[in-house]
Amino acid sequence: MDARDTELKSDLDATLHARRELGTEYESALIESFLEKVEQRLDGAVERQVRRQTAEHQMVVARGGRPPGRGGENWGERYGFGIISLVLAIPISAIAAHQAQLEGLIVTWLGIVGVNFVHAFRGGRPRRPGSDG
Protein backbone atom coordinates (compact mmCIF):
# COMPACT_ATOMS: atom_id res chain seq x y z
CA MET A 1 0.00 0.00 0.00
CA ASP A 2 1.56 3.29 -1.05
CA ALA A 3 1.29 6.66 0.69
CA ARG A 4 -1.68 7.76 -1.44
CA ASP A 5 -3.61 4.59 -0.52
CA THR A 6 -2.84 5.20 3.14
CA GLU A 7 -3.99 8.82 2.80
CA LEU A 8 -7.24 7.74 1.13
CA LYS A 9 -7.87 5.13 3.83
CA SER A 10 -7.24 7.77 6.51
CA ASP A 11 -9.70 10.11 4.79
CA LEU A 12 -12.31 7.34 4.70
CA ASP A 13 -11.74 6.54 8.38
CA ALA A 14 -12.06 10.23 9.28
CA THR A 15 -15.24 10.54 7.24
CA LEU A 16 -16.81 7.50 8.94
CA HIS A 17 -15.71 8.76 12.35
CA ALA A 18 -17.21 12.21 11.65
CA ARG A 19 -20.43 10.56 10.47
CA ARG A 20 -20.70 8.63 13.75
CA GLU A 21 -20.13 11.80 15.77
CA LEU A 22 -22.31 14.16 13.73
CA GLY A 23 -25.16 11.80 12.92
CA THR A 24 -27.11 11.05 9.78
CA GLU A 25 -28.08 14.65 9.04
CA TYR A 26 -24.51 15.35 7.83
CA GLU A 27 -24.08 12.03 6.03
CA SER A 28 -24.61 13.28 2.48
CA ALA A 29 -22.23 16.22 2.95
CA LEU A 30 -19.55 13.93 4.38
CA ILE A 31 -19.95 11.43 1.55
CA GLU A 32 -19.80 14.19 -1.06
CA SER A 33 -16.63 15.55 0.51
CA PHE A 34 -14.97 12.14 0.51
CA LEU A 35 -16.02 11.37 -3.06
CA GLU A 36 -14.62 14.74 -4.14
CA LYS A 37 -11.24 13.70 -2.72
CA VAL A 38 -11.46 10.38 -4.60
CA GLU A 39 -12.38 12.24 -7.80
CA GLN A 40 -9.39 14.58 -7.41
CA ARG A 41 -7.12 11.58 -6.93
CA LEU A 42 -8.52 9.88 -10.03
CA ASP A 43 -8.17 13.08 -12.06
CA GLY A 44 -4.51 13.22 -11.06
CA ALA A 45 -3.98 9.58 -12.04
CA VAL A 46 -5.64 10.11 -15.42
CA GLU A 47 -3.58 13.26 -16.02
CA ARG A 48 -0.34 11.39 -15.23
CA GLN A 49 -1.38 8.58 -17.57
CA VAL A 50 -2.14 11.00 -20.42
CA ARG A 51 1.19 12.78 -19.94
CA ARG A 52 3.03 9.46 -19.94
CA GLN A 53 1.29 8.25 -23.10
CA THR A 54 1.89 11.58 -24.84
CA ALA A 55 5.58 11.45 -23.95
CA GLU A 56 5.85 7.87 -25.21
CA HIS A 57 4.12 8.81 -28.45
CA GLN A 58 6.42 11.81 -28.97
CA MET A 59 9.47 9.67 -28.29
CA VAL A 60 8.39 7.05 -30.86
CA VAL A 61 7.76 9.76 -33.46
CA ALA A 62 11.06 11.54 -32.65
CA ARG A 63 12.96 8.28 -33.19
CA GLY A 64 11.38 7.97 -36.62
CA GLY A 65 9.05 5.17 -35.66
CA ARG A 66 5.41 4.85 -36.55
CA PRO A 67 3.02 5.65 -33.71
CA PRO A 68 0.95 2.71 -32.53
CA GLY A 69 -2.48 2.35 -34.09
CA ARG A 70 -5.63 3.15 -32.18
CA GLY A 71 -7.57 0.06 -33.31
CA GLY A 72 -8.39 -0.91 -29.75
CA GLU A 73 -7.43 -0.51 -26.15
CA ASN A 74 -4.02 -1.61 -25.05
CA TRP A 75 -3.22 -3.67 -21.97
CA GLY A 76 -2.38 -0.56 -19.89
CA GLU A 77 -5.78 1.01 -20.45
CA ARG A 78 -7.54 -2.16 -19.32
CA TYR A 79 -5.25 -2.42 -16.29
CA GLY A 80 -5.93 1.24 -15.44
CA PHE A 81 -9.68 0.68 -15.63
CA GLY A 82 -9.37 -2.15 -13.12
CA ILE A 83 -7.32 -0.03 -10.73
CA ILE A 84 -9.75 2.88 -10.91
CA SER A 85 -12.72 0.60 -10.28
CA LEU A 86 -11.01 -0.87 -7.22
CA VAL A 87 -10.16 2.57 -5.84
CA LEU A 88 -13.80 3.56 -6.25
CA ALA A 89 -14.85 0.28 -4.66
CA ILE A 90 -13.58 1.47 -1.27
CA PRO A 91 -16.15 4.24 -0.67
CA ILE A 92 -18.89 2.43 -2.57
CA SER A 93 -18.42 -0.66 -0.38
CA ALA A 94 -18.47 1.43 2.77
CA ILE A 95 -21.69 3.15 1.74
CA ALA A 96 -23.34 -0.11 0.62
CA ALA A 97 -22.37 -1.93 3.82
CA HIS A 98 -23.66 0.93 5.93
CA GLN A 99 -26.95 1.34 4.06
CA ALA A 100 -27.84 -2.29 3.23
CA GLN A 101 -25.45 -4.40 5.33
CA LEU A 102 -24.15 -7.65 3.83
CA GLU A 103 -26.72 -7.79 1.02
CA GLY A 104 -25.70 -4.33 -0.20
CA LEU A 105 -22.03 -5.24 -0.05
CA ILE A 106 -22.61 -8.42 -2.06
CA VAL A 107 -24.63 -6.60 -4.73
CA THR A 108 -21.98 -3.87 -4.91
CA TRP A 109 -19.14 -6.32 -5.45
CA LEU A 110 -21.13 -8.32 -8.00
CA GLY A 111 -21.54 -5.06 -9.91
CA ILE A 112 -17.84 -4.18 -9.64
CA VAL A 113 -16.77 -7.63 -10.81
CA GLY A 114 -19.37 -7.57 -13.59
CA VAL A 115 -18.28 -4.19 -14.92
CA ASN A 116 -14.62 -5.25 -14.89
CA PHE A 117 -15.44 -8.55 -16.60
CA VAL A 118 -17.39 -6.86 -19.37
CA HIS A 119 -14.70 -4.21 -19.85
CA ALA A 120 -11.88 -6.78 -19.94
CA PHE A 121 -13.48 -9.01 -22.52
CA ARG A 122 -15.33 -6.66 -24.82
CA GLY A 123 -13.73 -6.65 -28.23
CA GLY A 124 -11.77 -9.86 -27.72
CA ARG A 125 -8.87 -10.98 -25.62
CA PRO A 126 -6.74 -8.39 -23.82
CA ARG A 127 -3.39 -7.68 -25.46
CA ARG A 128 -0.22 -7.92 -23.44
CA PRO A 129 2.61 -5.41 -23.64
CA GLY A 130 4.89 -6.26 -26.53
CA SER A 131 2.30 -8.31 -28.41
CA ASP A 132 1.62 -7.42 -32.02
CA GLY A 133 -2.06 -7.99 -32.11
Side-chain angles (χ1 to χ4, degrees):
M1 184 179 297
D2 68 4
R4 290 177 295 193
D5 290 338
T6 304
E7 181 182 333
L8 191 61
K9 185 178 180 327
S10 297
D11 287 344
L12 177 60
D13 290 341
T15 299
L16 293 174
H17 181 72
R19 193 265 177 207
R20 275 186 238 113
E21 285 186 5
L22 298 174
T24 57
E25 56 272 0
Y26 292 100
E27 186 171 288
S28 64
L30 291 168
I31 291 171
E32 285 178 28
S33 172
F34 178 74
L35 290 178
E36 187 175 309
K37 291 175 186 176
V38 171
E39 183 179 3
Q40 289 171 352
R41 181 168 173 191
L42 289 175
D43 287 345
V46 168
E47 186 177 324
R48 284 189 301 277
Q49 177 75 8
V50 168
R51 280 194 308 247
R52 184 184 64 79
Q53 287 180 346
T54 301
E56 287 174 359
H57 180 270
Q58 290 172 342
M59 187 175 295
V60 167
V61 171
R63 290 181 177 168
R66 200 173 118 213
R70 297 299 298 167
E73 290 180 307
N74 64 28
W75 185 81
E77 289 170 344
R78 291 175 187 248
Y79 184 70
F81 182 85
I83 289 174
I84 289 171
S85 70
L86 290 176
V87 168
L88 288 175
I90 296 168
I92 292 170
S93 296
I95 293 167
H98 174 71
Q99 296 293 328
Q101 287 77 36
L102 181 61
E103 294 85 9
L105 194 58
I106 290 171
V107 169
T108 298
W109 276 95
L110 286 174
I112 292 166
V113 170
V115 165
N116 277 282
F117 182 82
V118 168
H119 188 277
F121 293 104
R122 68 185 170 108
R125 297 174 57 189
R127 296 183 314 203
R128 297 287 178 227
S131 69
D132 290 336

